[in-house]
Structures are given as C-alpha cells and as structure tokens.
Amino acid sequence: MSNQRNQPEAMLFDLDGTLFQTETLLLPAYHKTFDELRAKGLFAGETPPEERILGALGMLLEHIWERVLPDSQMRTRQEADMLLIKYQMEGLQKGQGDLYKGVAETLQVLHSKGIRLFVASNGLEDYVRHVIEAKGLAHLFEGLYSAGQYRTRSKVDLVKILLETHHIQSAWMVGDRSSDVEAGLQNNLTVAACDYAGFRESGELDGAHIRIRSFVELLEYL
C-alpha cells in the first residue's frame, strides 16, 4: 500500500462503524425492542446475543433481521424493525450515541480542503439523516444517500447513483464492511477501509487500497 494519494474530488462515507459508533445508540434500543416484543407476545425467551446484531451492521435491514431472528415470523421481524428505529430515534433525541474519536474535526479539515462529502449507507433514510443532524455534521455534507431512500439492493448501486447524480469523476469510498469495499472497487474508487469498529469478519476488507486504524489517519493519505 503506497502512502499518499492525489486529493479526490469527493469522499463517500459509510455511517455505522465508520463515522458513528453505532453500538452506543443501538444496544440500549435493541434491549428495549425485545422487552416490548415479549410484552406484546411476539417473542419468547432470551434476547438474542448482541453479537448477532453487531455482526450484521452494514447489511440491508431485511438481512439483519433474518440473522437476528432466523426462526421468527415476518410479523415479528417487521415489528422489531419498527421498534428498533423508534427507540434509536428516542435515544438520539436524548443525546445518546457517539461519533468515533476525531470524526467531526477530520470531516471539517476535509471540507475546508474543498473535498465534497457524502454519506452512502445501507440504513434507513430517517435514521441516517437524524444521526448526521443530531451530531452537528449536516453542514459538512453535500448529500446523504441511503438504501432506504433509493430502494437499492446493494451499496454498489447506491454509490453509482450518487456518482452519476453529482457528476463526480474521482472519489474515495470510506467504510468498514465488505459492502463498502465492493461498492468502491466496482465503481472504480479508491477504497479506504476502517479497521476500528470491530464488526467485520476476517477478510472483509481485502482489496482495499488504504486501511486505517483511526478516522484521523485518513488525513495522512492525502
């Protein structure tokens, strides 16, 4: 891996596990969700292990619930989906959820260098927007793109739409999962893999051009 690279026109960021320390908002909401599912008679037994949902971060929502609740009915999964979002939104309003160290400052530096900043996430539109707004980052981003808004089946397609819409010629894809690496490589972008969230499985970041252990490190490659 060579060190420095030409400054791109734009940078595209995944949200969960890249900018946002998802578990700080997700896990309290996750436990409340299962408490309510039990109270409604839609679920019995122990709450599935936290690792199950943390390991599914970055996937499309339907795939997350297939993994967390493989033996449950669709009605239970749909209710779990709605409850989790509800409790995460309530958590954000109460100030829960943290950015990774150095994210706000690093994004400010990139913005001041004239790099156009975007979010490309497999999450829901409202969730992505609320996190960015709640953390005071909205003024730094030119666009927030989510699979929930564009109904895309993969991040490859989402990134393609973003690049075409904004006529971007050169960009970096910054993220922590195989879906980010794939989206970057298939759209001919430089891929910067974030290796600090701990959600990934071994080999997921193979093929990335850059690998960073903290968000601030991104600046060292410009």
Side-chain angles (χ1 to χ4, degrees):
M1 294 187 190
S2 61
N3 215 5
Q4 292 201 309
R5 293 174 172 266
N6 291 335
Q7 179 169 312
E9 181 185 342
M11 284 195 188
L12 285 44
F13 297 93
D14 174 48
L15 181 62
D16 292 323
T18 299
L19 303 177
F20 188 57
Q21 215 168 334
T22 319
E23 67 274 26
T24 57
L25 178 69
L26 174 73
L27 292 179
Y30 181 69
H31 289 287
K32 283 183 181 173
T33 294
F34 278 92
D35 289 344
E36 189 154 339
L37 288 175
R38 279 187 285 266
K40 289 182 170 182
L42 288 171
F43 184 81
E46 296 289 310
T47 299
E50 292 176 349
E51 293 72 41
R52 226 181 257 184
I53 193 152
L54 291 176
L57 288 174
M59 295 180 181
L60 295 169
L61 276 168
E62 61 193 270
H63 300 150
I64 289 177
W65 291 114
E66 282 168 11
R67 178 174 173 145
V68 175
L69 292 169
D71 304 320
S72 291
Q73 294 181 332
M74 184 58 74
R75 185 188 162 206
T76 300
R77 290 181 192 172
Q78 288 172 338
E79 185 68 19
D81 210 19
M82 288 193 307
L83 290 171
L84 188 69
I85 284 291
K86 181 184 97 165
Y87 286 128
Q88 286 189 107
M89 292 302 174
E90 287 177 7
L92 278 174
Q93 285 167 356
K94 293 175 187 167
Q96 290 176 0
D98 302 319
L99 296 171
Y100 284 102
K101 190 179 175 193
V103 163
E105 299 84 346
T106 303
L107 291 174
Q108 187 65 60
V109 171
L110 295 170
H111 186 260
S112 68
K113 287 176 176 286
I115 297 171
R116 301 164 71 188
L117 307 181
F118 298 86
V119 168
S121 165
N122 273 339
L124 287 173
E125 179 182 5
D126 281 352
Y127 169 77
V128 172
R129 184 169 50 80
H130 277 95
V131 170
I132 293 298
E133 287 174 358
K135 297 302 151 193
L137 301 177
H139 66 291
L140 297 172
F141 286 98
E142 192 172 325
L144 307 177
Y145 280 68
S146 61
Q149 180 183 5
Y150 287 90
R151 304 270 179 261
T152 46
R153 301 298 302 160
S154 79
K155 193 169 274 194
V156 174
D157 298 335
L158 185 68
V159 167
K160 185 170 188 281
I161 291 167
L162 191 165
L163 296 171
E164 288 175 353
T165 302
H166 295 273
H167 310 292
I168 293 167
Q169 302 299 319
S170 72
W172 291 12
M173 180 71 224
V174 185
D176 70 308
R177 301 304 303 260
S178 57
S179 55
D180 301 307
V181 177
E182 181 190 27
L185 295 178
Q186 292 209 21
N187 285 289
N188 297 314
L189 309 182
T190 294
V191 178
C194 303
D195 198 3
Y196 46 75
F199 305 141
R200 64 172 181 81
E201 290 164 15
S202 118
E204 274 203 67
L205 304 180
D206 292 354
H209 304 99
I210 293 165
R211 198 178 284 217
I212 56 175
R213 301 258 174 207
S214 70
F215 194 78
V216 183
E217 257 183 65
L218 204 52
L219 298 174
E220 295 173 17
Y221 289 91
L222 281 176

